Amino acid sequence: MSALSFLVLLVAGVGWGYLKLTGSIDTFSSDGVSGDRPPGSSGGQNVLVIGSDTRSGNNKGLGGGTGAVGRSDTVLLLHVYADRKHAVAVSVPRDAMVDIPACRKPDGSWTAPRHHSQFNGAFSVGETTEGNPACTQNTVEHLTGLRVDHTVVIDFAGFSALTSAVGGVPVCVPQDVYQRDLNPKRTTRGSLVLAKGTHNVSGQRALDYVRLRHGIGDGSDLGRIKRQQAFVAALVKKIKSRGMNPTTLLPLANAATDAMTVDPGLGSADKLLSFGLSMKNIDLHNTKFVTVPWRYEGERVAVVEPDADALWAALKADRPLDAKAKDAGAPKASKSPVAGAGIAVAVYNGTTVTGLAARAAELLRAHDFTVTGTATAQDQSRSGTVVAYGPGLREEARTTAKLFPGARITESTGAGAGIQVTVGQDYADGPSAAPDTATPAAGVPADIAEGARSADDDPCENLSYG
């Protein structure tokens, strides 16, 4: 759902709705944006788009459930390449376990950093109806190492109005959907909501379709992300087919901006339109949708390293995800080995497997890391490897994690903390590399590039998605 904010920017960018848009754009305070941010880029731009599932105001009754605390639904980071002809939208699962940095609450106080917390919890810090976009922005910057240039939030009411204004969106349903699929607490199946096959949905029916977690797919947020990406692709394609003219675009821009909240950098008609104009030449074929590399961690989702780092590095360098692409104005990924010179690491064995810390230390030394010591961890029941780092050592920790695929990176509190690797059972079962193996420092994994969905793909080419 959050990708609709990207669409709003595109349609508003044509500029015909300038007078009508003036005064209808809500902004959130930038006071909560962290002072410790990644450096900006001279290349592309990064736009954080957030779908809010608050039930307050016009959203009451649209999304089901109760409560007025603003929560994030789906979230993605849109990277617009410097050529302004290509874009990549990276979905971040709401259930992903990440580190949430200090966030400012409505009373002006700041929370303590949260480690290994559910990603969508960042938006709820402060428990306000409008949510906390600045905290989500801080969390994304901390996770990716990319500076967010703009942040946009859109809610249920905006989604419903936009899909109605375009006259509905074509979708494919792989099997019949009933009322209990929308509300699993129902004791009976209920009536049929969407029959198997193709439909043109808008308003409440469109909202039901993109928010379904049961009845279609595997019942997870990850399956729903694929369906939402396909929906947005179909919506963009339909708007393009109707023509970019005042008659078609004004209703869309007005419907969406009424329910959209943006950062102060987009908080006026001229700013919004100027930014939208900068993206109006992005071709559908060159707009890709991907999901951050992930794996299940119990009932939650873990971000997989070093795959995720390779993705962020590609976006930071303004590189295309497809290694074969030559028209995004960026060099291809290199295959240089991990270089650990100057990085000191302490290694701990978080399992009962004898000699595991020594094995990891050997791997690190082979890549020129300085191993300050090995020991047995206090907790010997670790299932996954963790790379912890102290203040100012985030990039060094990312480099270290490249030798331990799937490792979680977390920040340590307290002055003087260095880098500590606690190897888990995952390393015992399959160590990442032999000491003499050169591990790539850059290059997006093939499954990410090959799995990217283009905005001009046929949304009905495979009824099994979702």
Side-chain angles (χ1 to χ4, degrees), residues 71-121:
R71 300 175 299 179
S72 62
D73 194 60
T74 53
V75 174
L76 62 82
L77 183 66
L78 175 73
H79 179 75
V80 180
Y81 285 93
D83 67 358
R84 297 300 188 265
K85 295 180 180 179
H86 298 72
V88 173
V90 184
S91 295
V92 181
R94 60 184 295 170
D95 295 338
M97 304 305 290
V98 301
D99 287 344
I100 299 177
C103 294
R104 187 178 186 273
K105 297 192 294 185
D107 63 5
S109 63
W110 289 73
T111 65
R114 303 179 190 177
H115 300 295
H116 203 50
S117 296
Q118 193 166 311
F119 175 67
N120 68 340

Side-chain angles (χ1 to χ4, degrees), residues 75-79 88-92 229 288-293 311-312 315 321:
V75 174
L76 62 82
L77 183 66
L78 175 73
H79 179 75
V88 173
V90 184
S91 295
V92 181
Q229 290 174 344
K288 306 294 184 182
F289 293 91
V290 300
T291 302
V292 65
L311 174 60
W312 309 136
L315 299 184
L321 299 191

Side-chain angles (χ1 to χ4, degrees), residues 28 48 50 123 130-138 151 153 261:
F28 65 86
L48 179 65
I50 304 170
F123 195 73
E130 64 271 18
N132 195 334
C135 185
T136 300
Q137 177 177 316
N138 293 342
T151 295
V153 183
T261 303

Side-chain angles (χ1 to χ4, degrees), residues 1 51-53 71-75 94 156 211 224 228:
M1 190 181 82
S52 168
D53 69 357
R71 300 175 299 179
S72 62
D73 194 60
T74 53
V75 174
R94 60 184 295 170
F156 287 155
R211 300 198 70 249
R224 185 169 63 165
Q228 291 171 343

Side-chain angles (χ1 to χ4, degrees), residues 144-229:
T144 66
L146 298 168
R147 189 181 186 92
V148 173
D149 298 289
H150 294 295
T151 295
V152 182
V153 183
I154 192 167
D155 59 20
F156 287 155
F159 177 92
S160 178
L162 187 57
T163 56
S164 296
V166 77
V169 178
V171 300
C172 295
V173 181
Q175 61 195 60
D176 292 344
V177 175
Y178 295 87
Q179 286 180 313
R180 187 164 59 188
D181 297 322
L182 297 174
N183 180 12
K185 294 182 179 180
R186 285 183 60 100
T187 57
T188 62
R189 185 174 69 172
S191 59
L192 182 68
V193 177
L194 288 169
K196 177 180 178 179
T198 59
H199 297 269
N200 191 68
V201 297
S202 63
Q204 181 68 60
R205 290 215 333 153
L207 188 61
D208 289 343
Y209 174 79
V210 297
R211 300 198 70 249
L212 269 172
R213 293 186 71 161
H214 306 277
I216 299 180
D218 61 4
S220 71
D221 183 50
L222 280 304
R224 185 169 63 165
I225 283 175
K226 293 180 181 179
R227 187 165 65 254
Q228 291 171 343
Q229 290 174 344

